[in-house]
């Protein structure tokens, strides 16, 4: 017979593990199915999480897995390829396993697509960075570059000036006339140098970034480069379940309430599955909120069913 769980959590990052921890402690049979592709895997450390500042992401996830195991939560390394909604949810994995669940938590995150500039992907998470709140302190006061991916990259160039006063904004494929007068005034006020021209490649020496080379041949000495990847939400499972999505500047994400409940009854989403800007601490919080809502939802469902059996209409 097909195995049945109270809850299946799809995704074993901070959001999924946090949800599983709460569910396990609430004595609900819980299965976590994790493909093992955390968004922050390229980073050596994570910052800004109180009591965990500077902890390697892999160490953080390992600790989470140990914690959920104490409460009987099962975790498997696999990828969910199909979900169907009937009286319960049927979840099918790439490994051929099929299980049923009364409720689902979708914590599938997102993928970062990096600019196609030689050297960017290879150095991402080291000296090519995307979030100054995550990494700004560690690279403070060094010569920064910001590689534009759109006119909206002005915001990133302005933000990183909080951590260094030596910032060059490489327009790359963005034309200078695409920047507004307000953009230019703010860049000038922040002391950010605007550099037109397409970036050809990054220059490295001894396995560290040393410069940004333009297509025209000019090389700008830089030791840190910020850029904004294109966020690709992993919403395929939610779409197949019929969840409503809403468009944002960073892609289409599910419509959710304050607990992460989607428009599909019984399906919650958490972490980067609900938004581009969710950091690890936000994701853990989102998983906790979703799980606590599920515990209450299952309890009331069961109590109502028991009351109906005792007092049939």
């Amino acid at each position: 017979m097909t195995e049945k769980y109270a809850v299946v959590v799809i995704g074993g990052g901070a959001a999924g593990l946090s949800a599983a921890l709460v569910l396990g402690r609430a004595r609900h049979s819980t299965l976590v199915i994790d493909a093992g592709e955390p968004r922050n895997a390229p980073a050596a450390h994570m910052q800004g999480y109180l009591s965990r500042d500077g902890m390697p992401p892999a160490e953080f996830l390992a600790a989470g897995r140990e914690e959920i195991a104490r409460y009987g939560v099962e975790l498997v390394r696999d990828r969910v390829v199909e979900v169907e909604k009937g009286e319960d949810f049927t979840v099918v994995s790439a490994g051929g396993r099929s299980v049923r669940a009364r409720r689902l938590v979708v914590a599938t995150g997102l993928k970062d697509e990096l600019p196609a500039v030689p050297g960017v992907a290879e150095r991402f998470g080291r000296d090519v960075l995307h979030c100054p709140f995550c990494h700004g302190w560690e690279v403070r006061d060094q010569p920064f570059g910001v590689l534009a991916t759109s006119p909206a990259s002005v915001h990133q160039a302005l933000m990183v000036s909080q951590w260094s006063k030596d910032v060059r904004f490489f327009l790359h494929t963005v034309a200078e006339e695409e920047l507004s007068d307000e953009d230019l005034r703010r860049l000038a006020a922040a002391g950010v140098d605007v550099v037109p021209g397409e970036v050809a490649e990054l220059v490295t020496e001894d396995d560290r970034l040393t410069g940004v080379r333009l297509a025209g041949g000019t090389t700008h000495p830089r030791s840190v480069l910020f850029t904004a990847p294109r966020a690709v939400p992993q919403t395929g499972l939610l779409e197949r379940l019929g969840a409503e999505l809403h468009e944002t500047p960073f892609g289409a994400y599910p419509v959710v309430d304050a607990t992460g409940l989607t428009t599909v009854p019984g399906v919650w989403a958490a972490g980067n599955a609900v938004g581009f800007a969710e950091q690890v601490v936000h994701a853990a919080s989102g998983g906790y909120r979703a799980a606590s809502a599920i515990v209450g939802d299952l309890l009331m469902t069961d109590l109502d069913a028991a009351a109906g059996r005792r007092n049939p209409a």
Side-chain angles (χ1 to χ4, degrees), residues 301-313:
T301 298
D302 291 343
L303 291 176
D304 289 346
R309 288 192 296 270
R310 285 196 296 269
N311 303 291

Side-chain angles (χ1 to χ4, degrees), residues 106-182:
V106 178
T108 46
L110 58 80
K111 291 187 180 297
D112 290 313
E113 286 190 355
L114 295 163
V117 172
V120 167
E122 293 82 355
R123 308 208 63 79
F124 188 58
R126 301 164 66 190
D127 38 30
V128 174
L129 308 169
H130 77 290
C131 172
F133 291 100
C134 304
H135 307 289
W137 173 264
E138 285 67 36
V139 296
R140 64 193 182 280
D141 298 326
Q142 296 184 41
F144 286 3
V146 177
L147 176 64
T149 55
S150 77
S153 295
V154 168
H155 178 74
Q156 188 177 41
L158 294 172
M159 289 298 295
V160 303
S161 70
Q162 175 67 27
W163 285 268
S164 174
K165 297 308 176 186
D166 182 0
V167 181
R168 295 182 188 176
F169 182 38
F170 296 97
L171 293 183
H172 190 39
T173 56
V174 176
E176 192 165 1
E177 52 267 27
E178 293 182 70
L179 306 185
S180 69
D181 290 341
E182 182 179 61

Side-chain angles (χ1 to χ4, degrees), residues 4 22 69 113 120 163 198 223 243 253 259 281 285 288 295-296 298:
K4 183 174 180 179
V22 174
E113 286 190 355
V120 167
W163 285 268
E198 187 170 352
S223 55
Y253 292 89
T259 70
V281 67
S285 175
Y288 192 108
V295 171
L298 287 172

Side-chain angles (χ1 to χ4, degrees), residues 55-285:
M55 191 177 194
E59 185 178 323
F60 174 81
L61 294 178
R65 295 183 194 113
E66 290 179 6
E67 288 176 359
I68 66 172
R70 297 174 197 164
Y71 302 101
V73 174
E74 182 182 352
L75 184 147
V76 296
R77 182 59 55 85
D78 207 340
R79 183 184 303 278
V80 173
V81 294
E82 191 56 75
V83 287
E84 295 180 0
K85 180 173 174 55
E87 182 178 347
D88 294 316
F89 296 95
T90 300
V91 181
V92 181
S93 73
R97 187 176 182 182
S98 177
V99 300
R100 292 166 57 204
R102 298 180 64 191
R103 302 291 185 270
L104 293 180
V105 177
V106 178
T108 46
L110 58 80
K111 291 187 180 297
D112 290 313
E113 286 190 355
L114 295 163
V117 172
V120 167
E122 293 82 355
R123 308 208 63 79
F124 188 58
R126 301 164 66 190
D127 38 30
V128 174
L129 308 169
H130 77 290
C131 172
F133 291 100
C134 304
H135 307 289
W137 173 264
E138 285 67 36
V139 296
R140 64 193 182 280
D141 298 326
Q142 296 184 41
F144 286 3
V146 177
L147 176 64
T149 55
S150 77
S153 295
V154 168
H155 178 74
Q156 188 177 41
L158 294 172
M159 289 298 295
V160 303
S161 70
Q162 175 67 27
W163 285 268
S164 174
K165 297 308 176 186
D166 182 0
V167 181
R168 295 182 188 176
F169 182 38
F170 296 97
L171 293 183
H172 190 39
T173 56
V174 176
E176 192 165 1
E177 52 267 27
E178 293 182 70
L179 306 185
S180 69
D181 290 341
E182 182 179 61
D183 289 337
L184 294 171
R185 284 196 300 270
R186 284 178 170 173
L187 289 165
V192 175
D193 294 328
V194 177
V195 182
E198 187 170 352
V199 172
E201 63 178 348
L202 304 188
V203 181
T204 61
E205 291 181 15
D206 299 325
D207 197 30
R208 62 185 180 87
L209 178 67
T210 58
V212 175
R213 181 171 293 138
L214 302 184
T218 305
T219 298
H220 294 255
R222 300 287 93 183
S223 55
V224 178
L225 183 71
F226 284 89
T227 192
R230 187 175 81 87
V232 183
Q234 304 298 288
T235 55
L237 297 176
L238 289 168
E239 291 180 64
R240 289 199 284 278
L241 286 167
E244 181 183 347
L245 305 181
H246 66 108
E247 288 293 336
T248 78
F250 306 104
Y253 292 89
V255 174
V256 295
D257 72 3
T259 70
L261 177 63
T262 70
T263 55
V264 180
V267 179
W268 276 257
N272 281 133
V274 301
F276 167 77
E278 298 295 288
Q279 304 290 351
V280 177
V281 67
H282 302 130
S285 175

